[in-house]
Amino acid sequence: MSRFSGFFSSSIGKKMTVALTGLFLCIFLVVHLWGNLQLFYADEGFALNKYTVFMTTNPLIKFISYVLYFSILWHAFKGLHLAWQNRRARPVRYAVTNGKANSIWASRNMGLLGTVILVFLAVHLTNFWAEYHWGELPYTKYVVDLGTGEILGTEDVTGQGYSEKGFVLTDIENEQEIHVYKDMYKVVEAGFQQPLIVLLYLVSMIALGFHLRHGFQSSFQSMGLNHPKYNGAIRWVGTVIFGILIPIGFATMPIYFYFFHTT
Amino acid sequence: MKLTLKVWRQKNREAKGAFETHQIDGISPDMSFLEMFDVLNEKLINEGKEPIAFDHDCREGICGTCSMFINGRPHGPKRGITTCQLHMRSFQDGDTIVVEPWRAGPFPVIKDLVVDRSAFDRIIASGGFVSVNTGNAQDANSIPVAKEDADDAFDAAACIGCGACVAACKNASAMLFVSAKMSQLAHLPQGQPERRRRALAMVAQMDKEGFGNCTNTYACEAECPKLISVSNIALMNREYLGATVKSDE
């Protein structure tokens, strides 16, 4: 076996690829959260719908999204493969184990937590990503003042023969811009009215928090980065930012739409 | 002290084992865990029964021979000690103690609490050595070693190869052991000539033996009787990556 393919099939090579794809997914989460916070603008989805067109058409973003799909699949299936191999390494189990005496709960349950997140992803992508690409979406027209950028009016234009993701017309005479978008905002609004979906999202965000609380710092160790100089900083970012703040940030969306949002 | 012991009994490698319960009385709190087993075995011998087989040698915590998975933890409940250094005062009178052998595919049970740890020997044979030319020994001071490197090498070299890391790890991974053996040589000038070859060969042998993959739970570090740090595993990851990139093999 060549040393290159040998690396990827070795125990260390495998965990390094899981670590690298995991860190890439962490960066994605930050961008995804930042973009989705536009749901909270009181503009009937104008900013979010415009952003969605950008995110699904920009060539660079498109390229990164393919890297993302690959990373998700690699991280999930390599992770499950490792978990399966690890179970096989102990064919006879202990009658008594005391894991909490020597390790944190999240670190011992990454396979379980990851599986919850994988199920969540399947539902999440079906509800929003697939729906946006192939579903019958409502269309909304926004009239925007050219000078101030203020939204002067919105109109539901569903069923008027639009098929593009969105377009902008400039009305020089009235100093207005007419934006017509596939209305992703309404899809999100409707999705988060379903209690089971909201519950799944909240449970999954808790799982994500625990997964990242171990996973973020663990990926640095797998990459060989372990030094008292920066271990504390890595642990802090993994626990506070990725373990707590980011999952809470995502969880605010279903909570807001289910409990506080009125259409 | 009066205790109830649930001990794993297994006739040989192929036999199906089971737990056996023993009541034992008159145990001094100052006895070591192994001495308590000696008392139990004498009782069994006097009753004409087969004594419980367990590994032991130096009984002063430095040889790495004793094992035993006690109440769900390798070497029992105390930090930084081997089973031979565990004293009965660490338990309460009337306790029930469950004792199992190390459990891992590459550590098959030979008899009762004794497992075959020769997988570790094969890993060492694959690369955990330095080649030394014959002739007069060099003057020690002719090879300069930084104090920090000497300290790190010594800390790694404290590994006694008992296998508690494998026993504690939920994945039965041997990475703490292998990394300690790699690290002690990687830190010193004598370990440099074979450094890359060693990293590739030891990891390949470790994988071949069927040990699990490390998922950084750090249970190994918490249970290691010699308190070997998981920073050695990070070092091994770097060594392996570096060797993959640079080695001609």
Side-chain angles (χ1 to χ4, degrees):
Chain A
M1 203 186 297
S2 83
R3 64 182 139 137
F4 199 59
S5 60
F7 175 79
F8 288 106
S9 57
S10 72
S11 52
I12 292 179
K14 277 184 283 196
K15 69 179 199 164
M16 278 190 184
T17 62
V18 173
L20 266 183
T21 48
L23 278 179
F24 177 69
L25 295 176
C26 283
I27 297 169
F28 159 74
L29 284 180
V30 176
V31 178
H32 193 47
L33 178 63
W34 173 79
N36 285 9
L37 286 176
Q38 296 175 90
L39 280 168
F40 294 120
Y41 280 127
D43 61 356
E44 295 184 48
F46 177 68
L48 183 94
N49 288 334
K50 194 172 157 185
Y51 172 74
T52 311
V53 174
F54 170 76
M55 291 303 275
T56 50
T57 50
N58 182 287
L60 179 67
I61 303 280
K62 241 191 154 60
F63 171 74
I64 296 174
S65 71
Y66 288 121
V67 179
L68 176 69
Y69 305 145
F70 172 79
S71 295
I72 292 171
L73 291 174
W74 185 276
H75 188 82
F77 290 104
K78 211 65 202 169
L80 286 171
H81 179 210
L82 285 172
W84 174 75
Q85 273 190 333
N86 292 342
R87 270 196 86 81
R88 285 197 344 159
R90 178 164 289 137
V92 183
R93 324 285 310 166
Y94 288 112
V96 181
T97 52
N98 187 359
K100 67 176 187 300
N102 54 37
S103 52
I104 62 166
W105 180 84
S107 76
R108 299 192 305 275
N109 291 282
M110 291 299 274
L112 171 73
L113 293 166
T115 305
V116 172
I117 297 166
L118 189 63
V119 170
F120 161 78
L121 268 182
V123 174
H124 180 57
L125 289 174
T126 312
N127 281 354
F128 295 144
W129 179 81
E131 187 67 15
Y132 186 78
H133 283 87
W134 301 295
E136 289 280 325
L137 257 70
Y139 275 83
T140 301
K141 182 167 98 181
Y142 302 89
V143 181
V144 181
D145 187 293
L146 257 183
T148 61
E150 191 190 337
I151 299 168
L152 302 171
T154 59
E155 189 188 336
D156 187 348
V157 291
T158 313
Q160 296 187 10
Y162 296 115
S163 61
E164 49 275 85
K165 285 173 178 165
F167 59 85
V168 186
L169 300 172
T170 312
D171 182 350
I172 304 266
E173 214 166 284
N174 295 318
E175 295 187 355
Q176 285 174 347
E177 262 184 351
I178 316 291
H179 294 245
V180 174
Y181 292 122
K182 254 186 175 179
D183 201 339
M184 193 59 195
Y185 182 82
K186 279 204 180 116
V187 176
V188 175
E189 210 174 33
F192 287 157
Q193 296 308 314
Q194 304 169 50
L196 275 182
I197 294 285
V198 172
L199 185 68
L200 173 73
Y201 271 63
L202 296 183
V203 170
S204 304
M205 287 312 106
I206 293 169
L208 180 71
F210 278 105
H211 195 77
L212 296 184
R213 189 244 176 276
H214 174 69
F216 185 77
Q217 66 82 23
S218 171
S219 56
F220 286 89
Q221 164 82 359
S222 291
M223 302 303 299
L225 297 168
N226 177 326
H227 198 285
K229 269 193 284 194
Y230 48 72
N231 281 352
I234 291 172
R235 223 163 269 261
W236 186 86
V237 171
T239 306
V240 178
I241 309 273
F242 285 96
I244 300 172
L245 292 180
I246 290 201
I248 286 180
F250 281 116
T252 54
M253 293 162 199
I255 290 174
Y256 167 73
F257 279 95
Y258 189 74
F259 292 105
F260 304 107
H261 182 68
T262 45
T263 49
Chain B
M1 290 175 84
K2 200 174 166 182
L3 298 159
T4 305
L5 282 172
K6 287 179 81 176
V7 185
W8 184 261
R9 300 301 304 264
Q10 185 171 335
K11 214 173 171 57
N12 54 45
R13 205 178 273 244
E14 289 76 31
K16 202 174 171 316
F19 280 102
E20 205 174 79
T21 306
H22 294 278
Q23 307 290 337
I24 185 164
D25 205 350
I27 296 296
S28 155
D30 296 328
M31 278 181 183
S32 77
F33 203 78
L34 297 187
E35 285 162 346
M36 183 269 293
F37 261 78
D38 293 337
V39 171
L40 174 61
N41 272 347
E42 273 179 34
K43 183 173 157 243
L44 289 175
I45 293 165
N46 287 338
E47 289 169 1
K49 293 177 185 157
E50 179 86 9
I52 300 163
F54 62 93
D55 267 327
H56 61 104
D57 190 14
C58 75
R59 298 208 178 195
E60 52 187 21
I62 54 167
C63 76
T65 309
C66 60
S67 50
M68 295 198 191
F69 202 76
I70 301 160
N71 283 345
R73 299 179 69 182
H75 296 303
K78 293 278 170 176
R79 189 173 147 80
I81 54 167
T82 53
T83 300
C84 63
Q85 298 299 298
L86 175 66
H87 291 88
M88 297 316 293
R89 53 181 171 268
S90 305
F91 298 90
Q92 303 289 323
D93 190 28
D95 272 1
T96 298
I97 306 171
V98 182
V99 187
E100 297 173 75
W102 285 175
R103 297 279 189 206
F107 285 171
V109 173
I110 298 170
K111 187 176 182 181
D112 298 340
L113 302 171
V114 181
V115 298
D116 180 357
R117 284 172 280 188
S118 45
F120 271 11
D121 298 339
R122 289 188 291 274
I123 293 172
I124 294 294
S126 73
F129 53 82
V130 291
S131 297
V132 178
N133 293 331
T134 54
N136 286 337
Q138 283 191 12
D139 180 78
N141 294 324
S142 67
I143 309 174
V145 179
K147 173 77 166 68
E148 296 80 8
D149 287 334
D151 287 348
D152 286 343
F154 193 82
D155 285 348
C159 168
I160 51 177
C162 65
C165 44
V166 175
C169 177
K170 78 173 187 62
N171 310 321
S173 167
M175 286 208 187
L176 192 66
F177 165 76
V178 180
S179 68
K181 297 301 172 195
M182 201 181 286
S183 177
Q184 66 181 9
L185 302 176
H187 276 110
L188 296 175
Q190 291 87 344
Q192 300 312 307
E194 289 127 336
R195 186 169 177 175
R196 290 173 195 158
R197 222 206 107 251
R198 176 184 307 118
L200 295 177
M202 289 180 84
V203 171
Q205 188 64 34
M206 171 181 78
D207 290 351
K208 198 173 144 200
E209 296 290 348
F211 290 104
N213 307 285
C214 174
T215 53
N216 305 327
T217 67
Y218 307 144
C220 51
E221 181 184 77
E223 300 292 10
C224 175
K226 295 295 151 187
L227 306 172
I228 304 290
S229 162
V230 293
S231 63
N232 290 301
I233 298 181
L235 176 136
M236 177 168 74
N237 296 341
R238 292 197 298 276
E239 288 286 305
Y240 187 71
L241 181 64
T244 303
V245 175
K246 294 182 205 159
S247 158
D248 291 329
E249 281 178 47

